[in-house]
Structure formats: C-alpha cells, structure tokens
C-alpha cells in the first residue's frame, strides 16, 4: 500500500479535524467580540426585515421586474444567512424557503406574490411573537406549510 503525504494538513498546521495552529485564545477573543455585539442583533434584524419589506413594496409599486425581484431575492438571501446569527434560526429557514421560491432567475418574476407575501409576513410574525425555533408549535406548522407551498409552486 502506498501512503500519500497529507500536504493539506501540513499547510493548515496539523492533521485535518484538529485545531492545529489555531490559537484557542484567538477563538475565545472572537467569541467574546461576537457576544459584545449581540446587544445590537435585535436592531440589525429589524433593519434587515425592513429592507426585505421595502423590496416587497418596490415589487408592488413597480411590478415584478427582473430588478425588483432580484432585490427581493437578495434581501431574502441576506436573512437566510443572518437569521440564526441573530438568534432566530426559524427566520433562516423561512428565508431559505423564500430563496428557493425565487432562486431561478428565469422564473423569478413569475413567483406567486401571495406566497412571497406569506413568507415575509411569517418572518415579521416570528420576530413579533418571539418565535425563534422551528420546534415552536406555531413555527413548526408555519414553516412546513410555507415549504410545502413552495414545493407545490414548482420551486
């Protein structure tokens, strides 16, 4: 049997799966910095939701054009990445469902707006009612219904 040298492991400071050259103190410092910022998370989350809602209003005002739907998709994509970071994993899941609905650029302008609205309203309701997890009884039903509707819509 031929042993292939682990060149990647040497480059990252040890075997894969180990911390290797990563300084545990640096990780602790980064976690402390994130914790110190967490007081701003609620405001940042509201700001992101307001941007998504503004994108929806732009679609309503100007119609579902390539540009307006792209803006809406990008805002949903931002929330998909930020929901869990801001303490609302359910928002990540709802936003992921909205992204799935509007992901295909060739079909984006024909996405059913009532379903887009349902996603955005669900995100707003989750924050309003402090539903953070998809294990919450209301949250679980809501997410499953939205995801099923997206599947039914062919996305």
């Amino acid at each position: 049997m031929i042993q292939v040298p682990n060149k990647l492991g040497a480059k990252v400071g040890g075997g894969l799966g180990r911390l290797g050259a990563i300084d545990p103190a640096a990780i602790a410092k980064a976690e402390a910095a994130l914790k110190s910022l967490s007081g701003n998370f609620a405001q940042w989350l509201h700001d992101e939701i307001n941007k998504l809602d503004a994108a929806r209003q732009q679609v309503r005002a100007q119609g579902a054009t390539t540009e307006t739907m792209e803006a809406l998709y990008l805002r949903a994509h931002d929330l998909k990445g930020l929901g869990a970071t801001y303490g609302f994993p359910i928002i990540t899941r709802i936003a992921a469902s909205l992204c799935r609905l509007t992901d295909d650029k060739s079909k984006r302008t024909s996405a059913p707006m009532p379903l887009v609205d349902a996603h955005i309203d669900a995100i707003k309701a989750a924050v309003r009612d402090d539903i953070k997890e998809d294990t919450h009884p209301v949250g679980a039903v809501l997410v499953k219904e939205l995801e099923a509707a997206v599947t039914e819509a062919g996305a």
Side-chain angles (χ1 to χ4, degrees):
M1 178 147 55
I2 299 172
Q3 257 335 79
V4 178
N6 185 350
K7 293 180 183 178
L8 179 60
K11 290 180 181 182
V12 296
L16 296 176
R18 296 185 326 156
L19 286 178
I22 299 174
D23 181 6
I27 293 171
K29 187 175 178 180
E31 288 174 344
L34 187 61
K35 187 174 181 178
S36 73
L37 292 173
S38 66
N40 298 323
F41 285 178
Q43 183 58 49
W44 293 343
L45 179 59
H46 283 285
D47 292 346
E48 291 300 322
I49 292 169
N50 288 338
K51 290 175 188 176
L52 177 63
D53 199 34
R56 170 176 49 176
Q57 297 308 325
Q58 189 176 21
V59 171
R60 286 182 179 162
Q62 299 175 13
T65 67
T66 302
E67 295 79 19
T68 60
M69 290 304 289
E70 174 80 6
L72 189 136
Y73 171 79
L74 292 174
R75 293 300 173 197
H77 195 271
D78 287 348
L79 274 171
K80 181 177 97 170
L82 294 171
T85 301
Y86 291 161
F88 280 84
I90 195 167
I91 290 178
T92 291
R93 190 160 167 197
I94 296 168
S97 178
L98 178 54
C99 284
R100 195 172 121 219
L101 178 66
T102 56
D103 190 47
D104 186 342
K105 287 183 180 184
S106 67
K107 298 178 183 176
R108 194 172 282 165
T109 58
S110 61
M113 281 311 292
L115 189 50
V116 169
D117 289 337
H119 280 81
I120 296 170
D121 292 342
I123 289 169
K124 292 169 83 172
V127 172
R128 181 193 66 224
D129 296 340
D130 202 35
I131 299 172
K132 296 182 178 189
E133 304 280 341
D134 59 7
T135 55
H136 184 281
V138 173
V141 171
L142 184 61
V143 168
K144 287 178 186 174
E145 288 295 321
L146 288 170
E147 291 172 343
V150 169
T151 299
E152 190 175 306

